[in-house]
Amino acid sequence: MTSKKVRKRKKKSKIVLSSEQKEQKKREKKLHEDILNLFKRMGFEYIRTDGRHVTFGGQKSDIDNVFLYENIILVCEETSGKDSEYNHLRKKYDFIERIVGHRDTFITWIKDIGKEKFGRFTEYLNARYKIFYLYFTENTIEEEKRLLYNKFKYIDGRNLRYFLKIADSIRYSARNEFYKFLYLDFKHVGEAIASQRENIHSAVISPEDVSGMPLGVYLVSFVMTAKELLDCAYVFRKENWDQETGYYYQRLIEKKKINSIREFLTREKRTFIDSIIVSLPNDAKFYSANKTGGKGDPIDPKSISEVTSNAIIEIPYKTNSIGIIDGQHRVFGHHKGPDTREERIIAQLRNKRHLFVTGLYYQGIKESDKRKFESKLFLEINSKQKRVDAQLLQHIESLQDPLSPIGIAMSVIQKLNGRTPFVNLFILSEIDEKKNGIKTPSIVKFGLQQLVEINNDKEGLFKYWPCEDKMLLITDRESKQAEDIRKEYVSFCTEMIGKFFCAVKLSQEEAWTFDGKSKLLRVTAIVAFIQSFEKSIEVYKGVEDIPFYQKKLSQLKVDFMQEKFPYVSSQWPKLAEEINKCWTSV
């Protein structure tokens, strides 16, 4: 009897991932979890679609995530890749275009997959569904690509962290800010109701005759429900998703403070008595009250103080129409959340007209001037309460006067953070999760301000800036041309400082690291190099090129490694003196 040969199964060789691949997997997992957490906190339903290949318009692919709330469908794609990112974007965009072209087929398909999730909301006709296509990426997509692939709305890592923080703090009420991101209003969400509310009406109960208000600024006081403010409010947060809003100044919302206010509301079943301060929309209107207390004839806000008890304010009832200047935590403490005993108590308070509101109404004032006035008011209120963060304080000061030394310095450090050799090295945001980074307040205060000051008599960058019209920044600061020249000057400063620090990096390559062993990328060293750069401008009567500075700085006898670095804390003047030895005396 012949023995049968037993075939040995070949063991599959285990794929060993490199440390870079492992790190990539971790980033992918975190991005996916963050997206799920964001929409869960805002009350969206998750319909799992990843791995389900489907064909639309002859093209087969899958969709990473789909989220649903009422008639709002969010089709989400995600990537944490770098090299292949644009290839991924192009392929996904091609598939999205097929979905757009076969909208009804897509809705039928996603309804079938997510029967249970769709069943939790009203059944809508296909025409009522609003479909948005979101592209989540760790990295910022260039404007050129955004315009080319414009059916996507893009959320990069920074904006994702912002929305996560807001949603973690105010849960379902964060949807209102997300609606703003999607350009949605209440009339687009849920059932189309002919009798949908259009305006908020309230009696002006204590208009104030306040001296010192700028011409065209009027104060009125009235009461509102928390729901009205939650639905219609937006906050001028310095950290926000809209990068076009350069005049915002508020701090990020604090979850701990929100929770404390909710505890108070649940316990006391009433709100605080101090007033919420808001910026009223341009289309707010004022009327005299008729005999029944209803809306009478239109009146000018200037005359409200003359009709104290007979004035009515009318504010459009729409998302993002009322700007909160002070009191965001007192408003958002009433936010809507999951069904709990606390939520049931607060839900009753949300519809009570118990919030005192003081509104600023403007006539003939530019948006930028409104924000300048409000940021000053914000500082006056908050300087007596919680200490204002140094970085936020600098931001507000720069907002007040963009041509001041601090105004130019803040603009320059923002641009430096986006170019070599400082790409993403500065900590500019409260929502920045980096463990390592360079803090900026001392760099701005003790280094950059002096270097970039608009002063033609001082040996700084402005004096050696080859711009024919630069003196307009001194002689005609308010002109339209001045703003364009200011931007040119900021770009010039950024380029010159960037070149200098490229030379610093080349001359100290081993020390240019955040590995914990070097002190080069720390505030003390950065301020010292900036101060010394200013000294070199004085010595050489202008700015030199990178090879020049590299050669000179190679003479520097300072060891930046942690164990041997002799300068501590704010000893940048001493270090600057040592660096100055590299410059030839005249």
Side-chain angles (χ1 to χ4, degrees):
M1 188 175 175
T2 56
S3 59
K4 291 182 180 179
K5 289 184 178 180
V6 179
R7 282 189 182 177
K8 290 185 178 180
R9 289 185 180 177
K10 288 184 179 179
K11 288 185 178 180
K12 289 184 179 179
S13 56
K14 189 177 180 181
I15 299 173
V16 180
L17 299 177
S18 66
S19 56
E20 188 176 332
Q21 288 172 320
K22 288 178 182 177
E23 187 60 34
Q24 175 67 17
K25 288 283 185 186
K26 281 172 65 177
R27 288 202 303 269
E28 289 173 358
K29 183 180 179 182
K30 185 175 189 313
L31 178 62
H32 184 68
E33 289 176 348
D34 283 349
I35 294 169
L36 293 180
N37 286 334
L38 170 64
F39 291 109
K40 179 182 178 183
R41 290 170 189 173
M42 291 197 294
F44 282 78
E45 294 290 341
Y46 171 49
I47 302 173
R48 187 165 187 168
T49 54
D50 59 314
R52 289 176 178 265
H53 284 81
V54 62
T55 301
F56 294 108
Q59 184 169 334
K60 187 177 182 181
S61 186
D62 68 342
I63 298 168
D64 289 339
N65 310 291
V66 173
F67 297 94
L68 173 73
Y69 178 75
E70 292 290 353
N71 62 320
I72 309 301
I73 300 173
L74 306 178
V75 178
C76 303
E77 298 294 347
E78 60 187 68
T79 180
S80 59
K82 293 182 180 179
D83 298 334
S84 60
E85 186 173 81
Y86 292 138
N87 188 40
H88 177 271
L89 172 58
R90 180 181 56 77
K91 287 181 179 178
K92 288 296 185 180
Y93 191 79
D94 287 346
F95 187 60
I96 289 301
E97 287 193 310
R98 302 300 193 281
I99 294 177
V100 172
H102 296 77
R103 186 178 185 276
D104 286 348
T105 307
F106 168 75
I107 293 175
T108 301
W109 176 75
I110 197 64
K111 275 187 170 183
D112 184 57
I113 290 176
K115 285 178 185 175
E116 181 191 347
K117 306 300 173 70
F118 274 86
R120 294 176 187 176
F121 302 107
T122 302
E123 187 173 346
Y124 300 96
L125 296 174
N126 283 1
R128 184 62 183 166
Y129 282 102
K130 303 287 182 185
I131 306 175
F132 296 90
Y133 306 97
L134 309 180
Y135 193 83
F136 289 84
T137 171
E138 285 183 333
N139 309 303
T140 302
I141 301 291
E142 295 172 7
E143 186 66 23
E144 182 183 324
K145 295 288 192 303
R146 290 173 180 243
L147 293 173
L148 181 61
Y149 303 117
N150 58 11
K151 288 184 175 66
F152 273 128
K153 294 192 73 69
Y154 295 91
I155 300 180
D156 61 19
R158 181 189 180 280
N159 287 343
L160 176 56
R161 290 194 295 274
Y162 171 78
F163 280 124
L164 269 170
K165 185 169 179 64
I166 299 301
D168 188 40
S169 299
I170 61 173
R171 300 303 299 270
Y172 300 164
S173 293
R175 285 197 298 261
N176 290 334
E177 181 152 3
F178 204 75
Y179 292 160
K180 183 181 180 183
F181 175 74
L182 299 175
Y183 295 101
L184 275 173
D185 207 336
F186 295 124
K187 61 185 178 184
H188 301 130
V189 182
E191 296 181 81
I193 303 172
S195 60
Q196 197 167 35
R197 189 175 183 186
E198 292 186 0
N199 294 296
I200 300 166
H201 292 97
S202 182
V204 176
I205 55 173
S206 58
E208 310 216 13
D209 183 14
V210 180
S211 59
M213 288 291 108
L215 185 66
V217 180
Y218 306 98
L219 289 185
V220 292
S221 294
F222 49 95
V223 290
M224 290 180 71
T225 70
K227 184 181 186 305
E228 289 169 337
L229 269 174
L230 285 167
D231 285 346
C232 301
Y234 62 97
V235 182
F236 303 107
R237 298 188 186 99
K238 182 175 79 72
E239 316 294 349
N240 66 88
W241 55 266
D242 187 356
Q243 296 306 296
E244 297 301 314
T245 51
Y247 287 101
Y248 286 7
Y249 52 85
Q250 281 255 28
R251 294 177 287 218
L252 268 174
I253 201 161
E254 296 177 28
K255 185 179 179 180
K256 186 177 179 182
K257 202 167 182 179
I258 290 289
N259 290 342
S260 175
I261 288 173
R262 287 179 74 83
E263 287 174 9
F264 175 88
L265 293 172
T266 305
R267 182 178 67 252
E268 302 295 332
K269 297 181 177 57
R270 66 172 178 83
T271 191
F272 300 92
I273 61 172
D274 42 343
S275 191
I276 312 294
I277 301 177
V278 306
S279 176
L280 293 170
N282 294 332
D283 47 359
K285 294 181 175 65
F286 299 90
Y287 299 90
S288 61
N290 57 29
K291 292 180 180 180
T292 61
K295 194 169 71 173
D297 296 328
I299 58 174
D300 192 299
K302 295 177 187 176
S303 64
I304 290 177
S305 58
E306 301 167 14
V307 288
T308 302
S309 60
N310 296 314
I312 289 175
I313 186 171
E314 179 181 272
I315 305 170
Y317 195 86
K318 58 185 179 182
T319 55
N320 305 289
S321 59
I322 302 171
I324 298 180
I325 299 169
D326 186 68
Q328 64 166 323
H329 290 91
R330 279 170 280 147
V331 174
F332 288 107
H334 293 78
H335 73 75
K336 186 176 181 180
D339 187 25
T340 62
R341 175 182 174 274
E342 177 186 81
E343 168 60 21
R344 288 190 289 274
I345 293 173
I346 293 174
Q348 296 174 2
L349 295 174
R350 261 199 300 275
N351 290 298
K352 277 189 175 181
R353 184 164 284 198
H354 69 165
L355 289 181
F356 290 95
V357 179
T358 296
L360 275 68
Y361 182 75
Y362 302 93
Q363 283 188 329
I365 296 180
K366 294 188 300 184
E367 286 300 313
S368 58
D369 289 336
K370 291 179 188 178
R371 299 298 89 79
K372 287 179 184 179
F373 173 70
E374 291 162 2
S375 64
K376 184 179 178 182
L377 183 63
F378 171 82
L379 270 185
E380 289 172 1
I381 296 167
N382 288 279
S383 61
K384 298 174 184 178
Q385 299 174 23
K386 179 181 175 181
R387 187 178 67 85
V388 179
D389 177 75
Q391 190 178 69
L392 177 59
L393 185 60
Q394 288 181 342
H395 175 81
I396 294 175
E397 288 175 6
S398 68
L399 187 159
Q400 298 294 319
D401 185 2
L403 289 173
S404 66
I406 197 169
I408 300 295
M410 290 293 287
S411 296
V412 168
I413 208 157
Q414 287 277 353
K415 287 183 76 73
L416 279 172
N417 200 51
R419 62 162 291 157
T420 303
F422 287 115
V423 178
N424 295 323
L425 290 184
F426 292 119
I427 298 174
L428 301 176
S429 169
E430 290 180 60
I431 57 176
D432 201 336
E433 291 184 336
K434 285 180 296 190
K435 292 182 180 178
N436 290 320
I438 307 168
K439 296 181 179 179
T440 62
S442 291
I443 292 172
V444 169
K445 184 175 181 179
F446 299 104
L448 279 180
Q449 284 190 86
Q450 293 75 17
L451 178 63
V452 303
E453 181 182 353
I454 297 175
N455 185 340
N456 210 44
D457 297 322
K458 183 180 178 182
E459 294 291 325
L461 286 171
F462 187 78
K463 182 173 183 177
Y464 295 99
W465 178 34
C467 174
E468 292 181 2
D469 300 320
K470 69 180 184 181
M471 295 307 292
L472 276 174
L473 297 183
I474 297 173
T475 61
D476 196 5
R477 293 163 55 95
E478 299 300 320
S479 67
K480 291 182 180 179
Q481 193 178 355
E483 174 57 20
D484 292 332
I485 298 172
R486 187 193 77 86
K487 290 177 182 177
E488 289 177 25
Y489 181 54
V490 167
S491 295
F492 170 77
C493 292
T494 304
E495 184 181 356
M496 296 302 104
I497 296 167
K499 283 182 177 180
F500 176 74
F501 275 97
C502 279
V504 173
K505 181 179 179 180
L506 288 168
S507 66
Q508 302 287 338
E509 283 203 78
E510 289 187 9
W512 194 275
T513 176
F514 269 122
D515 63 3
K517 297 177 183 178
S518 171
K519 291 287 189 177
L520 179 58
L521 293 178
R522 294 292 182 266
V523 172
T524 298
I526 299 297
V527 172
F529 272 108
I530 291 173
Q531 290 181 350
S532 188
F533 178 43
E534 185 179 0
K535 179 65 177 178
S536 78
I537 292 173
E538 179 184 350
V539 171
Y540 300 113
K541 303 303 177 187
V543 181
E544 303 293 337
D545 59 19
I546 294 175
F548 177 88
Y549 288 120
Q550 184 184 355
K551 183 179 178 181
K552 291 290 184 182
L553 290 169
S554 64
Q555 306 168 38
L556 185 59
K557 305 298 182 185
V558 175
D559 191 335
F560 289 93
M561 303 318 284
Q562 187 166 330
E563 311 83 47
K564 299 181 180 179
F565 188 67
Y567 305 96
V568 296
S569 188
S570 57
Q571 289 185 325
W572 43 74
K574 288 185 179 180
L575 178 55
E577 286 178 17
E578 190 64 31
I579 301 169
N580 289 345
K581 293 176 183 178
C582 297
W583 319 131
T584 305
S585 301
V586 292

